[in-house]
Amino acid sequence: MLRLCTLADIPDQDAKGFRTPLGEVIVVRRGVEVYCYLNSCPHIGIGLNFQPDVFMDLSQRYLLCANHGALFRIEDGYCVRGPCSGQSLKKMTLSVENGIIWLNT
Ligand code: FES
């Protein structure tokens, strides 16, 4: 397992990016729940964000691909709108222990 950060390091309803040996990943926080996806858009396989740690749409309900506007559900990475509609981000698994977020490798 790889230590990413603490839960408190990610503002609620926001996301952070991490470079890992498994590739760049996005960790999204909703309260005490966290979700993790590979930072690779299923549209053309490039990263979702233009700026560091900017992954959410304005409503903070979806992950946004800044390239062509695809929106992904936080809870399962499913694309609800955009050129890759119906496809999903690749889910990565996390463990949270004592407020520390670990990426399962
Ligand atoms: S690369 Fe993500 S929508 Fe095109």
Side-chain angles (χ1 to χ4, degrees):
M1 294 203 298
L2 184 72
R3 186 189 192 280
L4 294 179
C5 64
T6 68
L7 196 59
D9 289 333
I10 305 175
D12 196 10
Q13 311 297 326
D14 207 346
K16 252 184 169 338
F18 298 90
R19 286 173 197 233
T20 80
L22 302 182
E24 281 193 41
V25 300
I26 307 163
V27 179
V28 196
R29 177 178 171 198
R30 266 196 172 163
V32 294
E33 299 293 327
V34 281
Y35 305 89
C36 185
Y37 302 99
L38 202 60
N39 185 9
S40 176
C41 182
H43 181 210
I44 52 174
I46 57 177
L48 273 64
N49 58 315
F50 290 160
Q51 298 174 55
D53 300 328
V54 177
F55 293 103
M56 306 303 293
D57 77 327
L58 286 178
S59 74
Q60 291 187 303
R61 290 179 57 213
Y62 297 99
L63 287 161
L64 168 71
C65 180
N67 299 291
H68 312 108
L71 294 176
F72 302 90
R73 286 195 302 235
I74 290 171
E75 60 271 25
D76 59 7
Y78 182 82
C79 180
V80 297
R81 197 190 81 190
C84 44
S85 194
Q87 298 182 67
S88 299
L89 297 169
K90 180 175 169 34
K91 195 168 180 60
M92 312 294 280
T93 57
L94 297 174
S95 303
V96 182
E97 290 169 13
N98 299 322
I100 297 172
I101 301 171
W102 299 86
L103 178 67
N104 296 338
T105 53

